[in-house]
Amino acid sequence: MAKITMTLPQDIQSSAEDYMDSQTHSNRPISSILIIIAMQTEALPLVEKFQLSEDHNSVFPKEVPWVRYHGMYKDLQINLMWPGKDSALGVDSVGTISASLVTYASIQALQPDLIINAGTAGGFKAKGASIGDVFLVSECAFHDRRIPIPVFDLYGVGLKQTLKTPNLLAGLDLKVGKLSTGDSLDMSVQDEASIIANDATVKDMEGAAVAYVADMFKVPAIFVKAVTDIVDGEKPTAEEFLQNLATVSAALDEAVTQVIHFISGKCIHEL
Amino acid sequence: MAKITMTLPQDIQSSAEDYMDSQTHSNRPISSILIIIAMQTEALPLVEKFQLSEDHNSVFPKEVPWVRYHGMYKDLQINLMWPGKDSALGVDSVGTISASLVTYASIQALQPDLIINAGTAGGFKAKGASIGDVFLVSECAFHDRRIPIPVFDLYGVGLKQTLKTPNLLAGLDLKVGKLSTGDSLDMSVQDEASIIANDATVKDMEGAAVAYVADMFKVPAIFVKAVTDIVDGEKPTAEEFLQNLATVSAALDEAVTQVIHFISGKCIHEL
């Protein structure tokens, strides 16, 4: 297998910087945010806190299981998208395919100024993560798309910068770390090697997919991830994840609430 | 990790059969097909053979790199979608995320009667595959979405039946086999175990994602996969894949051409 390198070609670096420049020069306050949350357990406390209503005349095709909750916080239009339950199996539609479809269709239908992907994640204690920690993500990449052909290898890794938010970080008590995304809850030896190459502190199943689509449409995106389980710890991931899901979801929702309060009335460049 | 089981709950089996029933009772000839092909090298011979035109006033958002080629064969409207080159890296947008986005947006914009996902694939000689073989796929599943929580495990595997086409099979000289999909070109030990559990003869990077979205919208889908490399053979996958890509693409395009000729003038239930 070709070595996965994380060095960005110069032109991509520049294009990302141009984009950030164009975004940070907008002086219009953020008027519409899109929150993408993969699991109902993670989403419902926020729906309640902001008294969001479920959309019964969906702006999306009738065939999709996705659920939109919407409402206002001060002058901020909030759309919270949950990919819903799989229509055949009845479990949350987790993972990169649903996340990318929901992000794509929501950008088209709702034209958000900012995307917030919030969710639970595995954390690496070797990189400073503990159960219940909430991270603001500095960059996203994939760890399960190994394509050992030159340039395709970089495409597979799919590294994307997130919106830089120094004021948000200074104002809130959040940790900062890199996120690595894959469609498995467990971690294979190959996944682990890629996660280390990605220098990731947190591991989820949606972030880099949301980042891929957001980047395609140049919509600024931030990623708030709360740690339910320690990947490099003693306990089996699935058990620890299920044990901590409800309490860590509360910490996640508290953090997202603080983020929304902070965003309200501000421009992108003030974050 | 929980054992991944391939036994379908009874209600899903029934719902798939209901769907096939509703489809096979339509007596309208197929009027519009959507061909989804991940790589330009695989797509261009077909574009030439059917003298398809590139769409310069895209029906898709201006930000996406996807390319639509379209034209008529007798009374059949052909749309061929290629996900295009990654705008930052310039390589074909392979893999499940692009494939699912293109399938979603194309179903919405083009309302096809039938989807054909065509492409190259790795084959398992232990299951009877040889370089240059073209397979018609009987079912698709994922091999890199391991979620060891009850029911989520089945969601991860994402098994989908393809449209049953006994007459097409009898009329064409194609092999039949199951397809397993993942976002890596190589194969880890975990991938291999899941591919064996999926009973797959061919392995690709898009099929099960196309099947997921097609199933969501109940659009019948068939999968034509040509073998570029032997996964359980001696040669490294990437090398063998690149060596055989052009010649096997020709075999693939010949098979897809035969499929289109066969489809022309027929109803879904006659396939």
Side-chain angles (χ1 to χ4, degrees), chain B residues 32 72 81 91 100 120 124 130 138 153 188 194 209 224 256:
Chain B
S32 168
M72 297 296 294
M81 289 294 302
V91 293
S100 60
T120 53
F124 292 85
S130 307
S138 54
D153 53 0
S188 68
S194 299
V224 183
V256 175

Side-chain angles (χ1 to χ4, degrees), chain A residues 12-110:
Chain A
I12 306 170
Q13 197 98 44
S14 310
S15 118
E17 280 162 14
D18 287 353
Y19 157 56
M20 291 303 168
D21 277 2
S22 77
Q23 289 301 318
T24 50
H25 290 145
S26 162
N27 283 314
R28 191 172 55 81
I30 298 161
S31 70
S32 169
I33 61 170
L34 167 64
I35 306 172
I36 297 172
I37 300 187
M39 299 188 77
Q40 193 172 32
T41 308
E42 299 162 344
L44 287 187
L46 274 179
V47 169
E48 240 173 73
K49 195 171 284 173
F50 287 95
Q51 298 184 289
L52 305 179
S53 319
E54 187 174 336
D55 181 14
H56 291 289
N57 297 303
S58 178
V59 294
F60 301 104
K62 66 178 192 306
E63 293 88 349
V64 301
W66 316 335
V67 181
R68 178 171 81 108
Y69 299 98
H70 59 103
M72 297 296 294
Y73 170 72
K74 297 185 181 169
D75 293 329
L76 198 60
Q77 168 79 38
I78 301 176
N79 282 293
L80 189 159
M81 289 294 302
W82 163 51
K85 301 276 187 197
D86 183 80
S87 60
L89 294 166
V91 293
D92 290 301
S93 302
V94 298
T96 63
I97 291 179
S98 286
S100 60
L101 290 172
V102 164
T103 306
Y104 173 85
S106 300
I107 290 174
Q108 299 305 307
L110 309 169

Side-chain angles (χ1 to χ4, degrees), chain A residues 20 23-30 113-115 163-167 220-221 263 266-271:
Chain A
M20 291 303 168
Q23 289 301 318
T24 50
H25 290 145
S26 162
N27 283 314
R28 191 172 55 81
I30 298 161
D113 297 320
L114 176 71
I115 292 172
L163 179 72
K164 296 291 162 272
T165 56
N167 300 320
I263 284 170
K266 293 197 180 63
C267 310
I268 290 285
H269 74 90
E270 294 174 312
L271 298 185

Side-chain angles (χ1 to χ4, degrees), chain A residues 148-200:
Chain A
I149 297 174
V151 195
F152 275 104
D153 53 0
L154 281 176
Y155 168 81
V157 172
L159 177 66
K160 300 289 174 199
Q161 302 298 318
T162 63
L163 179 72
K164 296 291 162 272
T165 56
N167 300 320
L168 178 66
L169 254 183
L172 269 65
D173 188 27
L174 301 178
K175 292 188 171 185
V176 179
K178 296 178 187 174
L179 172 67
S180 193
T181 296
D183 274 302
S184 292
L185 185 66
D186 68 7
M187 183 173 72
S188 69
V189 175
Q190 283 81 359
D191 289 349
E192 187 176 16
S194 299
I195 289 169
I196 290 169
N198 288 347
D199 189 31

Side-chain angles (χ1 to χ4, degrees), chain A residues 1 8-9 11-12 15 39 60-66 86-98 100-101 104-105 108 142 144-152 154-156 160 182-191 205 208-209 212-213 215-218 238 241-242, chain B residues 1 8-9 11-12 15 39 60-66 86-98 100-101 104-105 108 142 144-152 154-156 160 182-191 205 208-209 212-213 215-218 238 241-242:
Chain A
M1 202 186 99
L8 270 182
D11 57 327
I12 306 170
S15 118
M39 299 188 77
F60 301 104
K62 66 178 192 306
E63 293 88 349
V64 301
W66 316 335
D86 183 80
S87 60
L89 294 166
V91 293
D92 290 301
S93 302
V94 298
T96 63
I97 291 179
S98 286
S100 60
L101 290 172
Y104 173 85
Q108 299 305 307
F142 293 94
D144 63 351
R145 310 196 323 171
R146 303 176 308 275
I147 315 175
I149 297 174
V151 195
F152 275 104
L154 281 176
Y155 168 81
K160 300 289 174 199
D183 274 302
S184 292
L185 185 66
D186 68 7
M187 183 173 72
S188 69
V189 175
Q190 283 81 359
D191 289 349
M205 296 173 66
Y212 172 72
V213 181
D215 179 70
M216 191 180 269
F217 291 96
K218 303 301 173 211
F241 167 74
L242 291 172
Chain B
M1 204 185 97
L8 270 181
D11 57 328
I12 305 168
S15 119
M39 300 188 77
F60 301 105
K62 66 178 193 304
E63 295 88 349
V64 301
W66 315 335
D86 183 80
S87 59
L89 294 165
V91 293
D92 290 303
S93 301
V94 298
T96 63
I97 291 178
S98 285
S100 60
L101 291 172
Y104 173 86
Q108 299 305 307
F142 293 95
D144 63 350
R145 312 196 321 171
R146 302 176 308 275
I147 315 176
I149 296 174
V151 193
F152 275 104
L154 280 176
Y155 169 82
K160 301 289 175 201
D183 273 301
S184 292
L185 186 65
D186 68 8
M187 183 174 74
S188 68
V189 175
Q190 284 80 0
D191 290 348
M205 296 172 67
Y212 173 73
V213 181
D215 179 70
M216 191 180 268
F217 291 96
K218 303 299 174 214
F241 166 74
L242 291 172

